[in-house]
Each structure stands twice: as C-alpha cells, then as structure tokens.
Amino acid sequence: MPDPPVSSYRLQLQPGFGFAAAAAAAGYLADLGVSHVYLSPILQATPGSRHGYDVVDHTRISADLGGETAFRDMVRRFRTAGLGVIVDIVPNHMAIPVPESLNRPLWSVLRGGPDAEFGSWFDVDWAAQDGRLLLPVLGGPLADCLADLSLGELATGGSTEPVLRYFDHVFPVRPGTEGLPLAELVAAQHYRLADWRLAATELNWRRFFDISTLIAVRVEDPEVFEATHAVILGLAAEGLIDGLRVDHPDGLADPRGYLARLAERTGGLWVCTEKILSGDERLPADWPCAGTTGYDSLGVVGGLFLDPAGAQPLATGYAACTGGPETFAGVAAAAKRAEAEHALAAEVARLARHISQTGHPALAGHQDGGLTAVLTELLTAMPVYRAYVVPGEPVPPESAAILNQAAAAARQRLPEGLHPLLAAVTELAQTGPAPFVTLFQQVCGPVMAKGVEDTAFYRWSRLVALNEVGGDPDRFGWAPAEFHQFAARLAQDWPGTLTTLSTHDTKRQEDVRARLAVLAEIPQAWLAEVAGWHDRAAALASGLVPDPDTEYLMWQTLAGAWPLDRERLTGYLVKAMREAKTRTSWTDPDAEYEEMVLSFAEQVLDDDELTSALAGFVAALGEDARANSLGMKLVQLTMPGVPDTYQGCELAGLALVDPDNRQPADFTRGRELLAAQRAGRPAAGLDGEKLLVTSTALTLRRAHPDWFAAGYQPLAAEGPAAA
C-alpha cells in the first residue's frame, strides 16, 4: 500500500470557490507545511450546490467548480507546489434534483420502471407501491394538485419527449401514455406523485437519512460501482488523485466489500472512511482502508483538555436552569425512538415487510403494530451506527454482543407478550435472510444520526462542547492515561488514519469548543452569569422568553463563538430550534414561536449592558481558552495519524454548524500573518499563535515524517501539576 499523506488541508469547494480558487491557494498551503490538499466532492452535483454531496452526474467533473480543464490545471499547480490531492467521494446516494432530468439514471428509471437501462441503480421496494416509485414532491394530496400539473415537452439530445411538469419539477412520461387524460396519465406512470409529507410513512426507496431529495445507490452491484466510479478511477490511474475520503460507508450494503473493491481498482490507494465510532467502538479490523476521518480523535483530544471535576456542578446547574435531566442517555433514547416512529417510519415499515415475508413462527398471532414496536425499540437501543453482520458469514462476537445488548435494553420497554417476537427479530438481524440483515444495518445509522446528532444534541446542553459527531455528552473528559492508550492503538493499528479537530460537519469549530471547555473549570461562576443574563434579557423581553433549553443553548453559543452578529446568531437559533423538534421543526415550523425567540436574541445583541457583560466574560476566559486551543492543536498535529486542518482553522476557528462553517475560504489574513511570521514578526493573538503552532508542526512533520511513524511512547509528567 502507498505511504499515507503526511498531513492534509480540507477545502470546501463550492460556486465562488472552485478549482481555480483552490489552485490559487497552492503556494500558501505549501508554505504552511501541508503535504496534501483534501477536496470536497468534485463530480457534477445539483447546480448551485454548496457542498457537492448531491451528485447528479458521475460522468462529469463539476462544471460549477470549473470543469475538467480547471481541475487538471489545479492539480498541476498543486504538483508544482509539492502538494498531493485527496478527493471526497459519495458512493451511497445521488440527488433527486429539480428539474429531475438532471439525473439521467433516475430519469431512466422514472420513465421505464424497474426494467429500465438504469433499473438496478436504486434500492427501490417496487411491490410496496404497486410497482411505482413514490415521489413525495407535491404540496398536498394529488387530487388537490392536479390543476398545477401539465403536459409539455423536453428537448433532449436533438429530439423532444413528452414530460409532466409541476412548477419547476419535470418528470418523464411513460411511452404510450402521453395521449391519456391527465388524471389517467398521472396514474399510469412508473412513479407515484404524492404529498411531500408521505415521505416519512410511505417512501419505498432507500435514501440518505431522512432526506427525500437524496436517493441511495446500489454500489454493491459491480456494474453500478464501475459506472459511478469511472471518472474517479480514471483520475487516480492517471496519477491526478493520491487518496480518497469515502462519505457515509455505513449506508452501503457491504462497507467492507465496497472498500475491498475500491482498493483493488485503485491499486491500494490511501483511503479513509467517514465512519462514526460511538463510545468504545473500534473500526472493524478487516476493513481495507487507512482509518477514519478523525471524529474519534476529535473527541479524545477535546476530552483531554476538559476538567472532569466540572461535570456534576454543570449537570446540577443545567437541570436547575432548564428543568431537564442531568444525564444525556435518556434524551438520546427518546429522540431516537421519535425518529423511528415518525421521520423514519417508512424505513421501519420496510423492515417489518421483510420480516413478515420470512414466515418465522414467532410472528404467528402478532399484529403489525407489535412488530413495529419491537423494531422501533431495538433500533432505539442500538448503541452504534452499525453492527457489521455480513450475510452468509459467521456473526462476529462483537456484532452479536452489540445486538444482544440492544435486545436486552429493548426488552425492558416492551410488554412481556412481545419478548418472543423481539428474540426472533434479534435472531433474524444476525442470521436471517440477506435482504433483511442488510437493510436492518442500513437503518440503524439513520436512527442514530437523526436521533442523536440532529435532535438530542439540540435538546440537551449541559456543555455543548461535548455535543459533537460520534461523541457521548455523558462522558466528561479523558484522562492522560486514556489518551495515551488511544494514541498507542492508533500508532499500532491505524497509523494512516486521519485526525481532526474541525470538519464541514462539526457542530461547532475547535476554538468554540476549546473556549467552552473552560466552563468546566468555573461552573459556579458560569451559572451565576447565566442567571444574571437571563434576568436582564427576560426584563427586556417583557417575560417573552424561549423555552429553557433553547435559551441555555443560546448563552453557550454566545459565549463560545463571541463576537456573533445578528445574522449568524439568528440563523443558528432557527436551525437549533428546528433540529430539536420540541416547539418547532423543519416539517412543521411554528413561525410565531420562532419569531419570539429571534426577537429575544436580537434584544440581547442590542442591549449594551448585556453585550458588555458577554464581552467581559469571554475576555476573562481568554488565557485559559487560549491554552486549550493551542494545546489541542499541538496534540492533534503531532499525535499518531494524518493530521487534517479544516480550511481556516490554522487561525481561530469560531464557526458554528453548517452553513456557518462552510463559507468560501479566504486566505488573505493567513497569507499576511504567515509572511510576517517568516519575516520574524509573528503576530500576537490567537490567530497568530495558532498559525505559528500549525505551521511549525506541519513543517516539522513534512521534513521528518519518520519521526512520527515509529510507534508511540507516552511521556509522564512530573511535579506538583502533573495531574
């Protein structure tokens, strides 16, 4: 296998920051000490996409980013500067764009059904909708929307074909049905147009999490793999790509098999996977890859700089302020259960259909509701994203232990009469028919991600520095000895794994978390400040205050990311409230409540007394936060693995969750500070200090990679502050 990168620097490509802009940063990144540039997806995505994970055409390099010529020019610039190239790939899903004709494989299936040219591409349960693919795009029931549908034509390849239009949506017409009356024509298609709300309960195809504009792709089919990877494999064969980052492997039917095929087709190219490890979970040892994208190291390094003595005072104070529980686990379970019962009900129903077809004797006498309840509780109790049972292979002991642990927890919540059914479902999840075993694994991840990361993390905020992808907010800190064990294991088992402190998906960037970690050292002072701020803000708002959890989250957000302007704060609060789904949500927004919360936040920012108090409090945290930021950065950049720096985080990284942390990169200040540093005038302040630490560590690693590749030897601290 080729040597891993020495280090990487993540660039988030998007319209306004495409291949030419990335190429222009080559000199700066080389001077910074980086060895490889790590690019977000480069294939053609939905026009205007700001992230690239919604691919519509695997045969083209993104025109929005500059096209193939610009890509090759960029790589040439990188090579001249001594930089390698890592590319993010998205094997799990494609976009259902608007207009739908932009996705040619999907268009083929919509026109021709399961026997179409691309009929094998998508994971569709045709029988569940009487041979049709559900398209939940209408603003209401079909009967109420017929007047907004019209028959038209679409020019394709020098000819035209009949299409069905619904505002900006365009759908193909099944050959031979174009002459039917409109209502009959709509009913005669290989797709069923439906109210968008039915996606949660009736969807009959696999998607990415609960996002019904991203349809899953069956890359386990060798022909589909080759077609969707041809451009990437060609670029790798030409030597234009040196490594790959695989998005969401847990969504695939067979992650290990996929990685094996990728390794074979690329000649063993360096590959890392966006595998989210939960708790003490470890990356499967038989995966042919270099490791993860680094969320595991992010949590461990952050925990190293967190004082565990603050856990209980902050928990008690949080409960007193909000009325919420002192622990996270119950909040997470309730949120996962709600996702399985509502947003992901269609996925659970599909699992139930699979089980019903097995004819298992334990099903006798049980209604569908009992089976749904069992599946819901088992999915809720799963402690990880996936147990990695491979159909036809012996069940690994660790996989059996995970499923049995989940079953034991589910049994506590289910009536005794459903226990035999639970035992049967647990058995089928390990040794049942391949379609059910595979689909169960593919549903576990969405329940975990949507329940924990995208719901519970916004409902429970004892200390939101811990509410991070793959993290467990109940675990408060890592002892140095635990860190050493983790680092030694990486050095031995996964020396080429990525390590990181910030990504395009982190809930808040590294220096926000570093500053908030200081609150664990001054819990009583923090709680007293929050009480005073609340009283002042409530008086300004005449008692119209947010729910306590949202308000407590707001104060931490202000303290962690200060200074925050109105647009960033209100944008974050809208997302946080809707993700929490307690008073409002994306699917059922409560405009009146949201307006009240945003008005409350704006009054805080408009009040000189409050902003002065916030600024003073943040300033008092400054030296301790600085120590955390620089210490975390130095540890991450020098520990075992391949250190990744997210764009801009060589300086202070104070962005919040996307879209805040996905703004186009701007290297103006970095270039100025690095030039001054090279001239012997290093800048004071966190920007200059982080840049000095980052460039020194990266340059050292690049100059002496062997120093960082010879195992791991802990050094014990001595003296009165050794602990």
Side-chain angles (χ1 to χ4, degrees):
M1 182 177 290
D3 290 337
V6 175
S7 63
S8 64
Y9 189 99
R10 165 74 177 206
L11 292 177
Q12 191 68 31
L13 303 173
Q14 55 189 289
F17 191 87
F19 299 134
Y28 169 71
L29 298 180
D31 288 344
L32 191 62
V34 172
S35 79
H36 285 65
V37 182
Y38 158 25
L39 304 170
S40 59
I42 64 169
L43 298 182
Q44 183 60 53
T46 301
S49 173
R50 294 188 60 187
H51 50 77
Y53 294 95
D54 46 357
V55 175
V56 295
D57 189 348
H58 291 93
T59 69
R60 291 191 296 138
I61 293 178
S62 172
D64 288 8
L65 302 178
E68 183 172 347
T69 299
F71 175 80
R72 290 176 177 275
D73 288 343
M74 175 195 67
V75 174
R76 193 175 303 115
R77 291 276 297 275
F78 287 159
R79 296 290 190 237
T80 300
L83 297 167
V85 178
I86 300 167
V87 168
D88 201 337
I89 58 174
V90 191
N92 179 68
H93 53 267
M94 294 182 75
I96 299 182
V98 179
E100 287 72 7
S101 54
L102 293 171
N103 185 332
R104 179 172 165 263
L106 177 65
W107 187 261
S108 162
V109 173
L110 294 178
R111 185 203 292 120
D115 297 326
E117 178 187 359
F118 294 91
S120 64
W121 273 50
F122 305 109
D123 187 0
V124 183
D125 183 359
W126 293 98
Q129 290 288 338
D130 296 323
R132 296 195 289 172
L133 183 152
L134 186 76
L135 283 181
V137 298
L138 303 180
L142 175 61
D144 296 344
C145 297
L146 273 176
D148 296 318
L149 290 163
S150 62
L151 193 64
E153 289 188 335
L154 179 71
T156 55
S159 61
T160 61
E161 67 172 299
V163 295
L164 196 58
R165 296 184 182 274
Y166 176 72
F167 297 103
D168 292 334
H169 294 275
V170 181
F171 311 106
V173 172
R174 184 176 182 175
T177 65
E178 57 269 28
L180 295 172
L182 184 61
E184 294 180 30
L185 182 150
V186 171
Q189 302 310 308
H190 288 293
Y191 51 86
R192 175 192 162 202
L193 298 179
D195 188 331
W196 65 270
R197 295 169 183 82
L198 294 183
T201 55
E202 296 189 25
L203 202 70
N204 65 325
W205 43 269
R206 193 165 56 82
R207 52 187 166 167
F208 173 70
F209 294 168
D210 65 346
I211 302 174
S212 300
T213 55
L214 295 174
I215 185 168
V217 177
R218 296 183 61 252
V219 291
E220 64 270 23
D221 183 317
E223 291 185 8
V224 178
F225 176 93
E226 293 297 330
T228 55
H229 288 67
V231 168
I232 295 296
L233 294 174
L235 295 172
E238 281 190 65
L240 299 176
I241 293 177
D242 306 296
L244 297 171
R245 180 263 196 192
V246 176
D247 182 67
H248 187 46
D250 280 344
L252 305 178
D254 178 12
R256 186 191 65 192
Y258 168 82
L259 292 170
R261 180 173 284 125
L262 192 63
E264 177 188 358
R265 295 291 284 107
T266 62
L269 206 64
W270 179 88
V271 171
C272 69
T273 63
E274 190 208 16
K275 168 58 195 162
I276 312 301
L277 300 171
S278 301
D280 295 325
E281 181 188 12
R282 298 190 180 186
L283 190 67
D286 58 358
W287 277 22
C289 66
T292 75
T293 50
Y295 285 110
D296 45 348
S297 59
L298 180 156
V300 175
V301 174
L304 187 60
F305 288 82
L306 187 64
D307 184 357
Q312 190 55 52
L314 284 176
T316 303
Y318 165 73
C321 286
T322 66
E326 293 191 9
T327 57
F328 176 72
V331 178
K336 290 169 68 178
R337 185 175 298 109
E339 290 298 305
E341 291 174 341
H342 300 291
L344 297 170
E347 282 74 8
V348 176
R350 187 175 179 185
L351 285 173
R353 289 195 297 274
H354 273 288
I355 293 177
S356 297
Q357 294 164 7
T358 65
H360 195 287
L363 296 173
H366 285 290
Q367 302 298 316
D368 289 346
L371 184 53
T372 299
V374 165
L375 283 165
T376 296
E377 290 303 330
L378 188 60
L379 289 164
T380 295
M382 284 291 290
V384 294
Y385 281 68
R386 188 163 176 152
Y388 302 107
V389 177
V390 179
E393 295 185 8
V395 180
E398 55 271 25
S399 301
I402 288 168
L403 285 159
N404 292 334
Q405 174 190 339
R411 190 176 295 112
Q412 301 301 312
R413 288 191 55 87
L414 289 166
E416 189 173 343
L418 291 178
H419 289 182
L421 187 55
L422 172 64
V425 172
T426 307
E427 174 194 336
L428 289 168
Q430 299 176 66
T431 59
F436 175 74
V437 171
T438 299
L439 187 61
F440 181 83
Q441 307 253 347
Q442 290 172 308
V443 175
C444 287
V447 172
M448 174 72 86
K450 296 305 299 181
V452 178
E453 294 173 24
D454 292 346
T455 305
F457 276 0
Y458 293 93
R459 291 182 178 179
W460 194 82
S461 51
R462 171 182 62 172
L463 183 67
V464 293
L466 294 171
N467 294 20
E468 203 47 82
V469 178
D472 176 6
D474 277 333
R475 176 162 190 166
F476 207 96
W478 286 68
E482 294 174 309
F483 169 82
H484 290 314
Q485 291 173 358
F486 175 82
R489 183 165 54 79
L490 287 189
Q492 178 176 327
D493 298 340
W494 303 102
T497 192
L498 217 59
T499 70
T500 192
L501 291 180
S502 298
T503 78
H504 63 290
D505 278 335
T506 40
K507 301 300 183 186
R508 43 196 64 78
Q509 281 186 347
E510 56 203 63
D511 297 315
V512 179
R513 301 195 309 272
R515 188 189 289 172
L516 290 173
V518 181
L519 303 184
E521 302 170 36
I522 54 165
Q524 300 306 334
W526 158 251
L527 294 166
E529 291 285 352
V530 169
W533 297 339
H534 165 77
D535 289 345
R536 172 69 180 174
L540 291 171
S542 302
L544 292 175
V545 300
D547 68 273
D549 266 299
T550 297
E551 184 185 351
Y552 198 76
L553 176 60
M554 184 195 76
W555 294 124
Q556 283 192 71
T557 302
L558 284 165
W562 188 264
L564 241 64
D565 61 29
R566 184 180 308 243
E567 182 180 3
R568 289 181 65 210
L569 178 60
T570 56
Y572 175 79
L573 287 174
V574 169
K575 177 162 185 165
M577 287 187 287
R578 293 183 178 180
E579 296 283 37
K581 308 172 190 69
T582 50
R583 296 288 299 272
T584 184
S585 68
W586 296 108
T587 56
D588 190 18
D590 184 334
E592 184 177 352
Y593 176 73
E594 290 180 4
E595 184 179 347
M596 183 272 288
V597 173
L598 299 187
S599 175
F600 180 87
E602 289 167 351
Q603 288 180 83
V604 169
L605 293 182
D606 289 340
D607 183 64
D608 290 341
E609 181 178 322
L610 274 170
T611 56
S612 177
L614 278 161
F617 180 77
V618 170
L621 302 180
E623 284 304 301
D624 293 323
R626 168 180 172 269
N628 284 346
S629 289
L630 299 179
M632 287 166 55
K633 198 69 173 175
L634 185 58
V635 169
Q636 183 253 330
L637 292 173
T638 57
M639 69 186 286
V642 177
D644 177 56
T645 300
Y646 185 67
Q647 60 180 33
C649 287
E650 68 275 22
L651 310 179
L654 291 170
L656 300 170
V657 73
D658 68 280
D660 193 43
N661 65 359
R662 296 185 184 178
Q663 300 303 310
D666 181 357
F667 299 110
T668 303
R669 180 160 172 76
R671 284 191 178 99
E672 293 172 352
L673 293 179
L674 189 58
Q677 180 182 303
R678 295 294 164 84
R681 303 188 309 274
L686 188 58
D687 277 351
E689 292 168 343
K690 274 193 78 179
L691 185 67
L692 180 61
V693 167
T694 303
S695 61
T696 302
L698 291 179
T699 301
L700 188 68
R701 287 196 79 140
R702 189 173 62 186
H704 301 282
D706 53 309
W707 290 4
F708 296 86
Y712 183 80
Q713 179 63 48
L715 297 180
E718 298 177 354

